[in-house]
Amino acid sequence: LKSLVDDGNLEISNEMEETIRKLGRGALRRSHIIENAEGKLYSYHSFGLPLLAWPFGFFGATGLQLILAILTAIAVAGCRAACLEAKASPRAAAVVTWTLAFSYIWAVYSTRFLPEILGCGLVAWGCWALAAQRERRWTATIVAAICCGFLPFAHVRWAPASLVIAAFYGFEGLFMKGEKLGPKLGRLFAFAAIYAAFGFTLLHIHATLYSGAQAYDYDKVLFSYPQAIWGMFNDRRGLLGLLPGLLWLVVALPFCAALGKRAALRTAESGAILAIVLLTNCTTSAALAGAERMPADDAAGGRRERLVGPGRATVTAFGQGRGETGGGNGPDEIGIHHHG
């Protein structure tokens, strides 16, 4: 962000001069910075959040807190909108949304210049589009395309979750009744075109910044340390830290899957996004390696799992809503879909 504000680009050679002079070039690797074939320094950290914060960066710390507050508000609104679109009662949606918004992890990350809350908001609104596609076709299409397209910009490790949401959106839209084939294909083509434009733009930027032999190593971000999956279950900072929220989701998924075809589809969406987030976020050396040195909120139950938060919120809202209505919601009103 400092480079964008000072120089108008993502190159951080100037910003790293003092660090290199004091600590040597070995500090680059520890800071996730590489030197490309042209001798320019770039960070491996994703640049989606800095790009959004660029105009606010000119106002210093106040500007940064302002953009973080805006993104947090948008993410919370997305969680509530998804709950309501999934036909949860307004009371249940309010309870779980504010519970999520005032949770410890959410509070910690909403004030830090890290992409987790941004990603959570993109997933929440993307999954709102899954539920809204039937009634708000073009609005849902544009929202889904933007959210799915920008997720990898927020962080490369969220590209698989983006693909899952996009695949379910296209699958459900293609077989959705009540829309003529011509307009349907045109709408889905527009979705695919916007989504592809985001993807090819990101690939082009990566090829430009990380050129030559130092090209972006996607394999280091995705599935680089499969052994960490076992650590998710036996490490003290693994999935056990998500109880009882994770247990609620595990119980709610098969319960809702038995309530009809559409409910089963929502269950598949939710389960697929949850699975892909855990697989791609928790199979890298950064997920658990050096856990004793990590702050508690940077382990699996914190930063690595943050993107799953809206899913548990939606399931909880639906379950609470059914309790209030005596089970009156039909299969078309099942709110468990989504959110990885």
Side-chain angles (χ1 to χ4, degrees), residues 142-179:
I142 299 301
V143 170
I146 293 175
C147 291
C148 290
F150 200 75
L151 258 177
F153 281 81
H155 203 296
V156 172
R157 72 170 182 261
W158 297 332
S162 166
L163 288 169
V164 169
I165 297 174
F168 272 106
Y169 188 87
F171 175 82
E172 188 171 355
L174 185 62
F175 293 97
M176 184 177 65
K177 297 180 180 180
E179 184 179 14

Side-chain angles (χ1 to χ4, degrees), residues 48-86:
L49 180 58
L51 287 177
L52 291 178
W54 187 357
F56 297 84
F58 293 98
F59 301 97
T62 301
L64 292 184
Q65 289 303 314
L66 179 59
I67 183 60
L68 291 176
I70 292 173
L71 292 175
T72 300
I74 293 174
V76 171
C79 294
R80 183 176 185 275
C83 290
L84 293 176
E85 194 64 37

Side-chain angles (χ1 to χ4, degrees), residues 1-334:
L1 177 60
K2 188 176 186 303
S3 179
L4 285 171
V5 173
D6 294 343
D7 306 322
N9 58 46
L10 293 169
E11 183 186 350
I12 56 175
S13 301
N14 296 338
E15 287 72 20
M16 292 301 297
E17 284 181 356
E18 185 68 19
T19 301
I20 295 174
R21 186 163 51 250
K22 290 181 178 180
L23 304 176
R25 302 192 74 81
L28 298 179
R29 182 176 180 83
R30 293 192 296 272
S31 301
H32 305 289
I33 295 170
I34 67 167
E35 183 176 1
N36 68 8
E38 299 174 353
K40 298 179 180 180
L41 300 181
Y42 292 97
S43 174
Y44 257 150
H45 288 292
S46 299
F47 43 80
L49 180 58
L51 287 177
L52 291 178
W54 187 357
F56 297 84
F58 293 98
F59 301 97
T62 301
L64 292 184
Q65 289 303 314
L66 179 59
I67 183 60
L68 291 176
I70 292 173
L71 292 175
T72 300
I74 293 174
V76 171
C79 294
R80 183 176 185 275
C83 290
L84 293 176
E85 194 64 37
K87 309 304 180 185
S89 70
R91 177 183 175 183
V95 168
V96 298
T97 299
W98 290 116
T99 299
L100 175 67
F102 286 103
S103 65
Y104 165 72
I105 295 295
W106 191 277
V108 167
Y109 280 96
S110 64
T111 57
R112 299 174 68 179
F113 198 72
L114 291 168
E116 273 65 34
I117 297 299
L118 169 60
C120 195
L122 291 171
V123 169
W125 281 106
C127 293
W128 167 87
L130 287 173
Q133 182 178 192
R134 190 171 298 275
E135 297 178 359
R136 301 174 178 86
R137 291 167 185 166
W138 273 103
T139 301
T141 298
I142 299 301
V143 170
I146 293 175
C147 291
C148 290
F150 200 75
L151 258 177
F153 281 81
H155 203 296
V156 172
R157 72 170 182 261
W158 297 332
S162 166
L163 288 169
V164 169
I165 297 174
F168 272 106
Y169 188 87
F171 175 82
E172 188 171 355
L174 185 62
F175 293 97
M176 184 177 65
K177 297 180 180 180
E179 184 179 14
K180 293 183 178 180
L181 182 60
K184 175 188 296 187
L185 293 178
R187 182 173 59 83
L188 293 179
F189 177 80
F191 169 78
I194 297 173
Y195 187 41
F198 272 100
F200 284 120
T201 299
L202 182 63
L203 291 174
H204 173 72
I205 294 175
H206 282 174
T208 301
L209 301 186
Y210 314 108
S211 58
Q214 300 291 332
Y216 198 98
D217 292 326
Y218 297 100
D219 57 339
K220 291 184 179 180
V221 179
L222 304 171
F223 304 108
S224 64
Y225 189 66
Q227 298 93 317
I229 277 290
W230 174 242
M232 293 298 100
F233 298 97
N234 67 3
D235 192 274
R236 66 185 180 86
R237 302 186 183 212
L239 292 180
L240 292 180
L242 307 184
L243 301 178
L246 185 63
L247 277 180
W248 178 274
L249 185 62
V250 170
V251 172
L253 288 178
F255 169 77
C256 293
L259 297 178
K261 292 182 179 180
R262 189 166 298 168
L265 176 61
R266 302 307 183 201
T267 302
E269 292 169 351
S270 180
I273 298 173
L274 171 64
I276 201 65
V277 166
L278 292 179
L279 282 174
T280 55
N281 282 252
C282 302
T283 53
T284 65
S285 58
L288 280 179
E292 294 301 322
R293 302 190 302 272
M294 283 187 188
D297 61 335
D298 200 35
R303 184 178 182 185
R304 299 286 158 180
E305 175 272 342
R306 184 67 274 137
L307 219 66
V308 190
R312 296 203 308 272
T314 308
V315 175
T316 304
F318 171 72
Q320 186 178 13
R322 282 187 67 86
E324 294 173 356
T325 60
N329 291 341
D332 288 354
E333 300 172 316
I334 302 307

